[in-house]
Amino acid sequence: MAPLRLRVEGRVFRDSKNREVTLRGINCAGDSKNPSTPDLPSHLLEHFFEGDDVSFVGRPFSVDEAHVHFSRLKRFGYNTLRYIFTWEAVEHSGPGRYDEEWIQHTIQVLRIAKDYGFYIIMDPHQDVWSRFTGGSGAPLWTLYAVGLDPHKFAATQAAMVHSTSKDPASYPKMIWSTNYTRLACQVLFTLFFAGRDFAPKAIINGKNIQDYLQEHFLNACRHLAQRIHEAGDLENEVVIGWESMNEPNRGLVGWSDLSTIPTEQKLQKGTSPTAWQAILTGSGRACEIDTWDFGGLGPYKSGTELVDPKGESAWLSADYDDSRYDWKRDPGWKLGECLWAQHGIWDPASDQLLKKDYFARHPQTGKKIDYEYFTNTYFMEHYRKYRVALGAVHSYAIFFCQPPVLEIPPLLKGTADDDPNMVYAPHYYDGVTLMTKKWNRFWNVDVFGLLRGRYYSPAFAIKIGETAIRNCLRDQLSAMRKEGIDFMGNHPCVFTEIGIPYDMDD
C-alpha cells in the first residue's frame, strides 16, 4: 500500500515523505452542538423538547459556505481540524435510527476539507451529556431510557438548562458546567460507565442500561465511520483518526460519601448540592442548599437557597409509555421511583440515607474506588470497545485517547493497551480566566499542581505577577505532557481543547 498521509512514530507525527509534522489545529465548530432545524438560540423553549424531530444538516456550515471557512482557516495557518459531531446528530430519531442525510452532508464537507489539505480528527462531542442537561451530545431518548423526565429538571434542579430557567436573560455564565455534579448527569454517567455494577436492576431490552447505552453510542459512531469508509476517498486521506468521547465523567463512581461535597470537587457555582441533596430534590423533597459564586479571589460560599420542587420528580412517572421507542423495561425496574432508592441507597418512606458510601467500593469485590480506579477500569473498558469498533472499519486510524479532564491518565505504558497508533489528547483551560472571563495579571493558581498534591497548602499554589502566571501556565502544560508519557507511554500529546473564552471582558 502507499505510505500513509500521516502516521505516528513515537512522540511525533510523520507524513508520507517521512517528514515530521506539527499539528496546528482548531475545533470545527461549536455550532455543531445544536440542530440546524429548528435553528433556535439556546434561550428559547419553543420546540426544545421535540428532540426526536431535529436535523443537524448544515452543521458546522453549509456545503456552499465550506470554501469560505476552510480557505480562511488555511490562510490563518491551520492544518488540522477537530471535526465536532454529536451522538444526537447521528441518532436523534430513536435507538438505531440514523440520519443518513446528515451523514451525507458530513461526507460532502469532509471532501471539501480534503481539497484544502486538512488533517481531520473526528470528535464525538458531549458536554454535560446532552442539550437537555445543559450542554450537548446525547439524544433526548437516552434520558427517557434511564428513567429520567427532562421536563422536570428545572423544578428539581436536576440540571440547569438555559431554555428552561426562570429568567434566561440572567442565566449565569458557566453555570452549565456545574451540571456534572447535579442529579441528571450523575445518573447518566454512572449508568453509562458502571450501570452493571451499581444499577443491576436497570435492565432494558434484556440488557443492563450500561450495555444498552454504550452499544448504541458505539454503533452510531461505527455507522458514521462505515459511511466514511464507503465514500472511498476520505479514510486516511483527510480523516486521519478518531477521538474518544469528549470529556468523559465518572458520575457518582468512587464518591466516598454522598452526604458531602468531595474535596476534589473544585467547581462550585450557584446552588451546590451534595449528591444526597440532589437525590432528595430529584424526588420532590425541599432542601436548603449552599450557594457559591466566583469572585476576584476565587470561589466562595455566598449563602443558601431553598430548593423546593413542590413534589415534582425528575424521574419518569409510573404511567410513562415505554412503547414510544420500542424498548421493554424489565419489571424489576420500576418507573415512578428513584432508581437509587430501588437499589437500597435511601428510603423514600423516611427520607433516610442508608448507604452513603454505596459508590465508594466495588459491589462484588469490595475494592475501594477512586478516580484512578474509574479511569483504569470503567473508562478503559469503554475506550477499548470504541477502539475495536472504529478500528474494525477504519484501518490505520490514529486514536486520540482523552481520559477524564485533569485526572491522572490510565496506566497503559508497557501493556497491551500501549497502542503505537495512540495519541494522548488531554484538555486544559485556565480556570480563573474561564470562570471570570477576564485575564487576571495579578494572581492565578497552579490548579494542576494543586490537584496532584504538590503543595502543603493551597496558599502556596497561588502565583503572583504576570511573569509568574505565564511561567505557571507553561509548567502546567509541560507537566501534563510528561504525565502522559509516564502513564500512557511514548506517544504524541495533542491538547484537543485549550484556549480562552470568546466572550472575554463581555
Side-chain angles (χ1 to χ4, degrees):
M1 60 170 287
L4 293 171
R5 182 164 175 251
L6 193 74
R7 61 185 175 84
V8 176
E9 183 180 285
R11 298 184 201 176
V12 303
F13 297 96
R14 293 196 181 278
D15 66 11
S16 59
K17 296 181 180 179
N18 208 37
R19 297 173 297 190
E20 184 175 330
V21 176
T22 299
L23 301 188
R24 300 180 300 277
I26 191 169
N27 282 254
C28 181
D31 53 2
S32 294
K33 303 175 185 180
N34 291 301
S36 55
T37 306
D39 188 7
L40 299 171
S42 64
H43 68 276
L44 294 183
L45 187 57
E46 182 184 11
H47 303 302
F48 180 68
F49 288 111
E50 299 169 18
D52 301 351
D53 302 317
V54 298
S55 172
F56 287 74
V57 174
R59 301 296 193 209
F61 31 69
S62 70
V63 171
D64 292 339
E65 294 174 317
H67 289 284
V68 175
H69 293 289
F70 288 151
S71 62
R72 181 185 297 125
L73 291 172
K74 199 69 177 179
R75 289 197 306 272
F76 287 169
Y78 294 110
N79 64 3
T80 305
L81 303 177
R82 184 182 186 233
Y83 197 94
I84 292 173
F85 71 94
T86 63
W87 181 5
E88 183 185 10
V90 185
E91 199 178 6
H92 52 80
S93 296
R97 304 170 196 166
Y98 302 132
D99 190 335
E100 297 292 348
E101 185 182 1
W102 172 81
I103 291 173
Q104 290 307 310
H105 166 77
T106 300
I107 287 172
Q108 285 181 282
V109 174
L110 292 175
R111 281 203 173 107
I112 298 171
K114 178 184 175 182
D115 292 340
Y116 285 85
F118 286 111
Y119 301 113
I120 298 283
I121 303 163
M122 299 300 291
D123 163 39
H125 204 87
Q126 73 80 33
D127 298 290
V128 294
W129 188 261
S130 75
R131 290 192 297 124
F132 310 96
T133 46
S136 64
L140 175 62
W141 59 261
T142 61
L143 279 71
Y144 296 125
V146 303
L148 290 171
D149 184 352
H151 296 269
K152 304 298 178 59
F153 289 171
T156 59
Q157 291 197 9
M160 305 291 280
V161 182
H162 195 188
S163 62
T164 62
S165 59
K166 292 180 181 178
D167 181 12
S170 61
Y171 185 74
K173 290 181 179 180
M174 297 305 296
I175 194 73
W176 67 267
S177 56
T178 68
N179 283 317
Y180 278 118
T181 53
R182 299 181 188 274
L183 178 71
C185 279
Q186 289 174 335
V187 169
L188 285 154
F189 280 103
T190 303
L191 298 183
F192 183 86
F193 283 109
R196 286 198 306 271
D197 287 336
F198 293 104
K201 294 182 179 180
I203 303 297
I204 191 167
N205 282 4
K207 60 187 67 174
N208 186 269
I209 189 64
Q210 173 185 339
D211 299 310
Y212 185 82
L213 291 174
Q214 286 201 26
E215 285 176 14
H216 276 284
F217 173 78
L218 294 172
N219 288 342
C221 292
R222 181 169 54 197
H223 184 80
L224 175 59
Q226 182 65 41
R227 290 288 187 258
I228 291 173
H229 173 78
E230 291 167 355
D233 60 343
L234 300 175
E235 212 174 68
N236 300 322
E237 291 298 315
V238 59
V239 178
I240 53 97
W242 296 77
E243 190 168 358
S244 56
M245 174 188 280
N246 183 70
E247 299 190 352
N249 188 273
R250 65 172 171 168
L252 291 171
V253 179
W255 281 44
S256 60
D257 184 348
L258 296 176
S259 66
T260 63
I261 300 289
T263 55
E264 62 268 25
Q265 182 182 320
K266 303 304 180 185
L267 176 60
Q268 291 179 268
K269 187 177 176 69
T271 51
S272 184
T274 66
W276 169 227
Q277 288 174 322
I279 288 171
L280 285 172
T281 56
S283 289
R285 277 63 164 181
C287 285
E288 191 82 22
I289 296 175
D290 289 345
T291 59
W292 284 69
D293 208 341
F294 202 96
L297 296 177
Y300 65 93
K301 181 181 174 182
S302 58
T304 62
E305 179 181 318
L306 178 65
V307 178
D308 185 1
K310 301 186 186 308
E312 291 198 58
S313 173
W315 299 96
L316 288 173
S317 62
D319 60 358
Y320 175 77
D321 184 8
D322 265 337
S323 66
R324 175 178 177 181
Y325 294 109
D326 299 324
W327 58 50
K328 184 174 179 55
R329 206 178 301 267
D330 190 85
W333 184 358
K334 303 173 186 176
L335 294 182
E337 183 179 338
C338 171
L339 182 61
W340 302 139
Q342 295 178 58
H343 286 86
I345 295 175
W346 69 290
D347 178 13
S350 62
D351 288 352
Q352 293 297 307
L353 179 60
L354 305 176
K355 299 177 181 178
K356 67 179 183 180
D357 60 349
Y358 180 78
F359 298 97
R361 294 184 180 277
H362 193 285
Q364 280 75 50
T365 66
K367 185 176 178 61
K368 185 178 179 180
I369 297 176
D370 55 16
Y371 224 132
E372 284 187 73
Y373 183 96
F374 168 83
T375 301
N376 283 281
T377 305
Y378 297 106
F379 166 76
M380 280 304 302
E381 178 188 353
H382 168 68
Y383 174 74
R384 292 185 192 103
K385 291 177 181 177
Y386 181 78
R387 184 184 63 204
V388 169
L390 276 294
V393 176
H394 185 165
S395 300
Y396 308 105
I398 299 170
F399 283 97
F400 292 74
C401 180
Q402 185 192 151
V405 178
L406 291 179
E407 297 299 329
I408 296 174
L411 186 56
L412 310 182
K413 190 174 184 177
T415 72
D417 293 309
D418 193 355
D419 175 11
N421 238 22
M422 178 176 64
V423 174
Y424 176 39
H427 287 182
Y428 180 83
Y429 292 100
D430 169 34
V432 173
T433 306
L434 189 65
M435 296 303 294
T436 63
K437 309 288 188 179
K438 297 180 183 295
W439 171 248
N440 187 330
R441 66 179 60 198
F442 302 106
W443 69 272
N444 207 307
V445 179
D446 178 4
V447 174
F448 186 76
L450 201 58
L451 290 172
R452 293 298 180 267
R454 294 175 182 167
Y455 297 97
Y456 177 74
S457 165
F460 296 125
I462 298 174
K463 305 299 177 182
I464 306 297
E466 193 157 14
T467 298
I469 292 169
R470 292 180 182 277
N471 289 343
C472 175
L473 294 173
R474 176 202 62 198
D475 293 344
Q476 288 181 78
L477 298 178
S478 176
M480 290 176 70
R481 180 179 183 276
K482 183 178 184 302
E483 192 174 68
I485 294 169
D486 292 343
F487 281 81
M488 296 178 66
N490 194 39
H491 304 281
C493 174
V494 175
F495 286 86
T496 53
E497 282 191 33
I498 190 169
I500 60 175
Y502 281 103
D503 55 350
M504 291 278 281
D505 300 316
D506 181 6

